[in-house]
């Protein structure tokens, strides 16, 4: 791939008035453009260096700035980079950027600094995605997981798998393309199956941890459902520790979806109090019911709320709406009981006794404290490719069990290899000559 040679510039801090602003410049002309505005050479050699001076353009002083200069390849993009710390007036920042644009730079597109880092081999695709996860982290736990990926620990999980599949494919190709090459032990279908049987649980574990990491990364949607007057709105308020929903003894008070967000052990949880789901001629109520059904469709967890102090009415319609969902049964108004049954999850919105519900939400997602310190491939792209690789390995095992020839069973194995390479942003159409010839004896 031909790397872009243009010099790019952009504001790296929010476009707001503040004490300081940071402008980033990257590309072949980053230093020369800066020297033009500074009025003298930077004298940057082979390491990052700090400079101070006044930037001017067309005889007009722009600002007194601090310059942090990174020569290639010792920068985040792998190119010459200048980071300009100026006073935080949007006017000043815009004037400096305009000066660089006038000299021939162009404004960077979304994510272009990170994309250049990827194309120049400074980060792989998993690390590149981690940068965005780090920026968008809403809890310190999700931030810590993003840092694991950024450090390369997540990518390191893939490399042994990639190596094993690559070796297997290389051995298969030797037998197909160079049958005259006399290996001591010809590579057979049994060998392929043995490798895949060892790989499958490893990839399955990566998928499982990826799903858990996705919860930590994106949060989880939890909907409260139940008959009127079981205390759904009161429970929502107790979980949020604020009066978010209107609470009344009048049935059907909630006519729209009420939502709020909490953090449970660092897990972002979006709570939705649904409107009573029933047939109605009232247009407002019907809209509320429609919204509630949409929330139920997307929710990962359902809190099915009952009145612990009363007999529960028929709930067939509500059960049908959440069929197939992971349901946590909650028995509210436990403060009205003199005796509790074993095995039931009780809560009291009135006394804000809801800690057991929080624990149940966390446990229902099969999460534990290890998720905070375990690298995980959790973006939609990463999980999709992992699942495809897993399916390919399963198909390879199936073909091996069907006693097909080694060249046929290698087809899904090749697909698994391509998907694993794509995870890291590597070219999936790799030439296997290096793997093949590494099997030859020295001197051949």
């Amino acid at each position: 791939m031909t790397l872009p040679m243009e010099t790019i510039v952009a504001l790296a801090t929010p476009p707001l008035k503040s004490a300081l602003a940071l402008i980033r410049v990257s590309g072949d002309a980053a230093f020369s453009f800066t020297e033009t505005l500074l009025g003298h050479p930077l004298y940057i050699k082979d390491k990052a260096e700090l400079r101070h001076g006044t930037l001017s353009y067309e005889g007009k002083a722009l600002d007194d700035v601090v310059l942090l200069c990174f020569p290639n390849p010792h920068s985040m993009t792998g190119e010459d980079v200048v980071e300009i710390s100026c006073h935080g007036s949007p006017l000043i920042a815009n004037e400096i950027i305009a000066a660089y644009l006038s000299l021939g730079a162009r404004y960077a597109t979304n994510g272009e600094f990170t994309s250049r880092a990827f194309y120049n081999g400074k980060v792989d695709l998993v690390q590149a995605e981690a940068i965005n996860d780090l920026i968008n982290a809403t809890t310190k736990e999700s931030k810590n997981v993003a840092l694991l990926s950024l450090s390369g620990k997540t990518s390191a999980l893939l490399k042994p798998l990639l190596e094993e599949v690559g070796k297997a494919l290389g051995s298969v190709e030797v037998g197909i393309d160079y049958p005259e090459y006399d290996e001591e032990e010809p590579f057979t279908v049994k060998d392929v199956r043995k490798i895949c049987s060892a790989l499958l649980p490893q990839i399955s574990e990566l998928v499982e941890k990826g799903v858990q990491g996705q919860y930590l990364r994106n949060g989880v949607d939890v909907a409260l459902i139940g008959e009127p007057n079981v205390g759904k709105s009161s429970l929502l308020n107790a979980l949020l520790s604020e009066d978010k929903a209107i609470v009344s003894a009048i049935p059907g008070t909630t006519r729209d979806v009420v939502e709020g967000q909490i953090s449970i052990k660092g897990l972002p949880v979006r709570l939705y109090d649904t409107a009573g789901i029933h047939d109605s001629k009232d247009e407002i109520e019907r809209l509320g019911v429609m919204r509630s059904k949409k929330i139920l469709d997307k929710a990962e967890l359902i809190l099915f709320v009952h009145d612990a102090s009363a007999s529960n009415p028929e709930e067939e319609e509500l059960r049908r709406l959440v069929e197939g969902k992971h349901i946590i049964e909650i028995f509210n108004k436990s403060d009205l009981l003199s005796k509790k049954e074993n095995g039931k999850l009780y809560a009291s919105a009135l006394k804000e006794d809801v800690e057991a519900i929080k624990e149940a939400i966390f446990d229902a997602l099969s999460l534990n404290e290890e998720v905070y310190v375990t690298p995980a491939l959790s973006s939609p792209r990463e999980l999709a490719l992992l699942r495809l690789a897993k399916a390919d390995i399963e198909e390879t095992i199936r073909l091996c069990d069907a006693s097909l020839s080694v060249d046929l069973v290698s087809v899904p194995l090749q697909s698994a290899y391509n998907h694993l390479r794509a995870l890291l942003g590597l070219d999936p159409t790799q030439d296997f000559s290096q793997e093949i010839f590494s099997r030859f004896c020295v001197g051949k």
Side-chain angles (χ1 to χ4, degrees):
M1 179 177 294
T2 302
L3 299 180
M5 301 302 292
E6 298 170 293
T7 296
I8 55 174
V9 61
L11 183 65
T13 46
L16 305 171
K17 183 163 58 175
S18 59
L20 296 172
L22 182 70
I23 298 165
R24 180 174 284 158
V25 188
S26 180
D28 290 348
F31 288 174
S32 62
F33 288 168
T34 303
E35 288 171 341
T36 298
L37 298 179
L38 197 58
H40 58 77
L42 289 168
Y43 298 113
I44 305 300
K45 295 181 180 179
D46 58 356
K47 63 178 182 179
E49 298 200 36
L50 201 64
R51 297 289 185 266
H52 169 263
T54 300
L55 298 184
S56 302
Y57 183 65
E58 294 183 340
K60 175 186 174 184
L62 301 177
D63 195 19
D64 196 33
V65 300
V66 173
L67 307 169
L68 187 52
C69 305
F70 301 87
N72 73 79
H74 309 294
S75 70
M76 64 88 63
T77 64
E79 304 170 334
D80 290 340
V81 169
V82 178
E83 292 187 349
I84 306 161
S85 294
C86 64
H87 291 95
S89 162
L91 172 65
I92 292 173
N94 288 335
E95 284 184 341
I96 293 173
I97 291 171
Y100 276 95
L101 296 176
S102 297
L103 291 174
R106 69 165 171 79
Y107 206 88
T109 58
N110 289 356
E112 189 169 3
F113 288 94
T114 303
S115 71
R116 290 193 177 197
F118 168 68
Y119 289 125
N120 289 324
K122 304 299 289 186
V123 295
D124 60 39
L125 208 51
V126 171
Q127 291 172 300
E129 286 187 294
I131 294 171
N132 194 48
D133 291 343
L134 198 58
I135 293 169
N136 292 311
T138 57
T139 66
K140 67 178 183 179
E141 289 80 6
S142 57
K143 178 213 72 174
N144 290 339
V145 171
L147 282 173
L148 287 174
S149 291
L150 187 57
S151 70
K153 291 181 179 178
T154 305
S155 303
L157 299 174
L158 292 171
K159 290 172 183 176
L161 304 181
L162 196 58
E163 184 178 348
E164 283 299 308
V165 177
K167 285 180 180 179
L169 283 170
S171 296
V172 169
E173 291 295 322
V174 167
I176 295 172
D177 296 338
Y178 301 92
E180 71 280 4
Y181 176 56
D182 185 22
E183 285 189 304
E184 293 181 7
E185 294 290 337
F187 205 73
T188 66
V189 169
K190 288 183 179 179
D191 295 319
V192 175
R193 196 193 192 289
K194 182 179 179 181
I195 289 173
C196 289
S197 296
L199 288 174
L200 185 58
Q202 298 178 57
I203 295 180
S204 298
E205 184 179 6
L206 287 180
V207 171
E208 181 183 345
K209 289 185 176 184
V211 171
Q212 294 177 346
Q214 194 169 54
Y215 289 138
L216 192 61
R217 180 179 188 265
N218 300 330
V220 60
D221 293 317
V222 178
L224 287 82
I225 192 173
E227 294 291 332
N229 274 6
V230 295
K232 299 189 299 297
S233 298
S234 298
L235 269 182
L236 178 77
N237 290 342
L239 287 164
L240 296 175
S241 298
E242 63 173 298
D243 292 331
K244 187 83 172 183
I246 297 174
V247 177
S248 168
I250 302 172
T253 303
T254 303
R255 303 178 73 185
D256 196 359
V257 175
V258 181
E259 63 181 273
Q261 181 163 318
I262 59 173
S263 174
I264 301 176
K265 299 181 181 180
L267 172 70
V269 176
R270 291 175 293 277
L271 294 167
Y272 299 91
D273 177 19
T274 58
I277 298 174
H278 60 278
D279 293 328
S280 175
K281 295 181 179 179
D282 186 290
E283 181 66 17
I284 302 299
E285 281 191 327
R286 286 198 299 110
L287 288 173
V289 170
M290 287 175 59
R291 290 185 180 182
S292 293
K293 289 181 177 179
K294 288 181 180 178
I295 290 297
L296 294 178
D297 285 340
K298 78 169 188 173
E300 285 94 356
L301 282 176
I302 304 294
L303 300 185
F304 206 128
V305 184
H306 310 277
D307 185 341
S309 66
S311 59
N312 294 307
E314 295 183 359
E315 299 169 331
E316 285 80 3
E317 177 63 16
L318 292 180
R319 294 279 178 193
R320 185 185 63 79
L321 286 172
V322 295
E323 188 177 358
K325 294 282 187 178
H326 195 122
I327 299 172
I328 300 175
E329 308 278 353
I330 309 292
F331 292 86
N332 190 30
K333 305 183 183 180
S334 63
D335 52 287
L336 300 178
L337 298 179
S338 57
K339 186 178 179 181
K340 298 178 182 178
E341 296 180 32
N342 291 331
K344 287 186 175 181
L345 178 56
Y346 289 97
S348 172
L350 180 65
K351 294 186 176 181
E352 297 189 353
D353 179 16
V354 292
E355 288 305 312
I357 297 178
K358 295 180 180 180
E359 289 287 342
I361 291 172
F362 194 79
D363 293 342
L365 299 171
S366 301
L367 297 175
N368 54 47
E369 302 298 331
E370 287 185 10
V371 72
Y372 303 132
V373 293
T374 303
L377 295 149
S378 59
S379 77
R381 181 194 72 88
E382 291 165 350
L383 264 178
L385 287 169
L386 265 183
R387 286 176 170 135
L388 288 172
K390 179 186 175 185
D392 291 332
I393 295 296
E394 290 171 336
E395 177 65 6
T396 304
I397 293 174
R398 188 187 71 78
L399 295 180
C400 287
D401 291 340
S403 300
L404 297 183
S405 62
V406 71
D407 57 327
L408 291 178
V409 302
S410 71
V411 173
L413 191 62
Q414 171 75 65
S415 180
Y417 186 78
N418 292 345
H419 288 134
L420 290 173
R421 284 183 64 81
L423 270 165
L424 294 170
L426 302 173
D427 181 8
T429 59
Q430 173 176 296
D431 179 8
F432 277 99
S433 59
Q434 190 173 13
E435 280 289 349
I436 291 170
F437 292 117
S438 68
R439 304 291 187 272
F440 282 67
C441 296
V442 174
K444 284 196 177 182

